[in-house]
Amino acid sequence: MDIRLNVDGIAPFVDKSAEKNLIEKAVAANKSLYEKTGKGNDFLGWVNLPSSVNESDIAEIELVSQNLREISDVVIVTGIGGSYLGAKAVIEALSSSFEAYANTGNPKIIFAGHHLDEDYLSELLDFIGDKRVGCIVISKSGTTTEPAVAFRIIKRHIEQKYGREAAKERIVAITDQSRGALRKLSEQEGYRTFVIPDDVGGRFSVLTPVGLLPISVAGIDIRILLKGATDMENATDVGTPAAENICIQYAVARNSLYNTGKKVEILANYNPKLHYLTEWWKQLFGESEGKEGKGIFPAGVDFTSDLHSMGQYIQEGERILFETVVSVVKPREELIIPDDADNLDGLNFLSGKRIGEVNKMAELGTMLAHVDGGVPNIRIEIPELNPYITGQLIYFFEKSCGISGYILGVNPFDQPGVEAYKKNMFALLGKAGYESEGERLRARLK
Ligand code: PA5
């Protein structure tokens, strides 16, 4: 595999004698993902997903993507949580940080429905103005408030601009096979639809049409992405010995640290394109593991930026942290630091070096400083950022998460705690059936 896991930086912190037991648990966990014998076993469709996507499904996604690309300057992807973060992560990781969409030939992908901010939606309407607009609305349940509210606004804009009949060409829905409000609405309006499989939960759905359609519209080759994921699926299946299975190794490393009191994992990158990969990872691990009073808290930092904000805490604050670095070995572009005749900043010792080399030394220096300061270090080394490696990375994290959740003893595939805020919000907004709860909550807020 192209991804290498380096756990040398945890050695001073973990109890080696307890590792054997964790490895046995991890091997059993991986087996039960395949044999569907563990908790949440009706949500394991993602385990074999990359290798089982068939040609006609990919071709259909590409066809719809091509149509949206041809008729849109802007495509608004409307969804939240697992119905948003995977696509956002992959598109950000693999797109230019600056290039205007007009120069790329790809429509600009923007996201909506991932919060309830009124200003954002108003500004979005201003931005799309007279641009040619398409929309991919994604919700498995079809009833999630944030995307449903945003979609009402976007649907009205598209219908006013093109008429209800032509809106059908511009709106694609991705939802449950048969249940839910979005399924019903799509049938009524005649939208093109894709299905989120019943046995794939939101945060494990990036390799279904949920992620693949927006990623394809952004001009990224989803076949290569899937090939990377398939190769990782094969390299981490039950036939791979634990010592060679990087998902088992990562799950064991993080649980070894958790058992010594390291309760916060910081996913760190030295490449801002990976910011949303971290956001996706936070949801994947946070929603999967944080339950029953247990779980590693997933946090994220973008270095070196955050060394100037969070660096102090990481170096010297509460010793409950460990750090996992996604380390890109080779930057895509070569940029040399020029010499300066005056050398007022005293940095001529860097003249002629690549910026990437300075970044790498910052990374290695930080790792050593953090380990010395009591922060264990795990490194996930990837040769470069491309669709193939990104596919590998996605599946690597998904499988590691399933194994890690089982080691912890929770059901990694449900999210009962997410309902609590929704119940209160509906009660405060006066939804029918929530009247007495609404009164009780309002009294508490006085
Ligand atoms: O992982 C999950 O299941 C959640 O994060 C969901 O993806 C999120 O709540 C959005 O749900 P839905 O797709 O039903 O709108």
Side-chain angles (χ1 to χ4, degrees):
M1 278 291 90
D2 299 280
I3 299 181
R4 285 194 54 235
L5 186 77
N6 183 336
V7 292
D8 294 347
I10 71 166
F13 302 92
V14 293
D15 174 5
K16 263 309 217 192
S17 62
E19 205 179 60
K20 188 166 169 286
N21 179 256
L22 279 176
I23 292 172
E24 280 167 13
K25 280 190 178 171
V27 169
N30 197 26
K31 196 157 171 258
S32 84
L33 289 174
Y34 283 86
E35 293 176 354
K36 300 193 185 337
T37 49
K39 291 179 182 172
N41 56 3
D42 44 351
F43 279 99
L44 292 172
W46 58 271
V47 175
N48 297 113
L49 181 78
S51 61
S52 56
V53 177
N54 61 49
E55 171 57 33
S56 63
D57 290 344
I58 302 178
E60 197 188 341
I61 291 171
E62 287 174 336
L63 195 71
V64 173
S65 158
Q66 191 51 35
N67 183 49
L68 276 177
R69 286 167 59 81
E70 278 164 14
I71 62 175
S72 317
D73 301 317
V74 178
V75 173
I76 309 166
V77 178
T78 308
I80 195 167
S83 293
Y84 140 71
L85 282 165
K88 176 85 174 162
V90 174
I91 293 169
E92 293 267 320
L94 300 177
S95 306
S96 161
S97 307
F98 298 104
E99 210 160 7
Y101 62 97
N103 299 335
T104 63
N106 299 316
K108 184 168 179 61
I109 310 294
I110 58 178
F111 291 84
H114 52 304
H115 51 67
L116 285 163
D117 184 50
E118 190 166 334
D119 291 346
Y120 180 91
L121 271 179
S122 300
E123 288 163 15
L124 183 148
L125 290 176
D126 290 344
F127 175 73
I128 57 181
D130 54 6
K131 294 184 178 70
R132 300 176 308 145
V133 178
C135 176
I136 303 171
V137 54
I138 309 172
S139 178
K140 188 167 187 190
S141 62
T143 53
T144 308
T145 311
E146 291 89 339
V149 165
F151 183 58
R152 283 190 181 204
I153 307 270
I154 294 159
K155 177 174 181 284
R156 185 182 60 187
H157 172 93
I158 293 178
E159 285 177 354
Q160 282 173 351
K161 201 185 252 177
Y162 302 99
R164 202 162 162 190
E165 191 54 30
K168 286 186 205 172
E169 281 300 300
R170 299 187 168 267
I171 297 174
V172 179
I174 305 179
T175 188
D176 186 80
Q177 169 81 54
S178 51
R179 292 180 301 253
L182 185 55
R183 167 62 52 193
K184 204 162 161 207
L185 176 75
S186 305
E187 279 165 10
Q188 185 185 298
E189 300 287 338
Y191 298 152
R192 186 67 197 248
T193 60
F194 287 93
V195 169
I196 308 174
D198 278 350
D199 58 357
V200 180
R203 59 191 174 275
F204 288 84
S205 68
V206 52
L207 299 172
T208 73
V210 169
L212 295 179
L213 181 62
I215 291 167
S216 173
V217 173
I220 295 161
D221 192 331
I222 55 172
R223 290 172 189 266
I224 300 179
L225 188 82
L226 282 167
K227 171 82 174 91
T230 306
D231 287 351
M232 184 57 76
E233 178 192 323
N234 293 331
T236 58
D237 67 12
V238 279
T240 306
E244 290 161 32
N245 189 325
I246 59 173
C247 295
I248 287 181
Q249 297 294 321
Y250 177 45
V252 166
R254 56 200 303 283
N255 277 282
S256 303
L257 293 164
Y258 181 63
N259 291 344
T260 65
K262 302 292 186 191
K263 297 195 186 287
V264 178
E265 178 176 12
I266 307 170
L267 195 74
N269 67 71
Y270 287 77
N271 182 332
K273 282 181 197 292
L274 293 175
H275 176 83
Y276 276 94
L277 183 86
T278 301
E279 295 303 308
W280 170 81
W281 169 92
K282 276 160 65 179
Q283 187 207 359
L284 182 68
F285 280 83
E287 228 169 57
S288 300
E289 293 192 321
K291 49 197 73 157
E292 299 174 30
K294 297 192 264 192
I296 297 168
F297 182 85
V301 285
D302 300 323
F303 287 159
T304 59
S305 316
D306 290 338
L307 286 172
H308 298 260
S309 58
M310 298 302 292
Q312 172 61 38
Y313 189 103
I314 297 168
Q315 190 67 46
E316 295 183 351
E318 282 260 18
R319 301 298 72 193
I320 53 169
L321 314 174
F322 67 96
E323 186 172 62
T324 299
V325 179
V326 179
S327 172
V328 184
V329 172
K330 201 169 74 185
R332 275 204 307 243
E333 309 289 344
E334 181 169 326
L335 197 55
I336 303 291
I337 299 172
D339 196 50
D340 187 278
D342 297 328
N343 195 27
L344 291 178
D345 55 13
L347 292 179
N348 268 356
F349 72 100
L350 299 178
S351 302
K353 291 193 195 301
R354 290 184 64 169
I355 303 232
E357 187 188 344
V358 179
N359 201 22
K360 188 55 68 187
M361 291 312 121
E363 180 184 327
L364 297 177
T366 303
M367 173 185 74
L368 296 174
H370 286 179
V371 169
D372 289 346
V375 179
N377 181 280
I378 298 172
R379 288 166 65 76
I380 297 166
E381 293 169 357
I382 63 175
E384 60 184 305
L385 271 179
N386 64 34
Y388 180 66
I389 305 286
T390 306
Q392 286 190 20
L393 205 51
I394 286 169
Y395 190 85
F396 161 74
F397 278 130
E398 288 181 349
K399 170 76 72 64
S400 303
C401 181
I403 295 172
S404 188
Y406 278 165
I407 293 178
L408 203 62
V410 299
N411 175 358
F413 309 113
D414 66 1
Q415 55 285 329
V418 180
E419 296 312 308
Y421 98 90
K422 292 185 192 167
K423 202 162 80 33
N424 287 354
M425 177 176 72
F426 292 148
L428 289 169
L429 286 167
K431 186 174 178 180
Y434 290 77
E435 292 80 1
S436 57
E437 186 60 10
E439 266 175 46
R440 204 175 60 79
L441 293 177
R442 272 188 287 279
R444 279 178 61 192
L445 291 172
K446 272 197 187 125

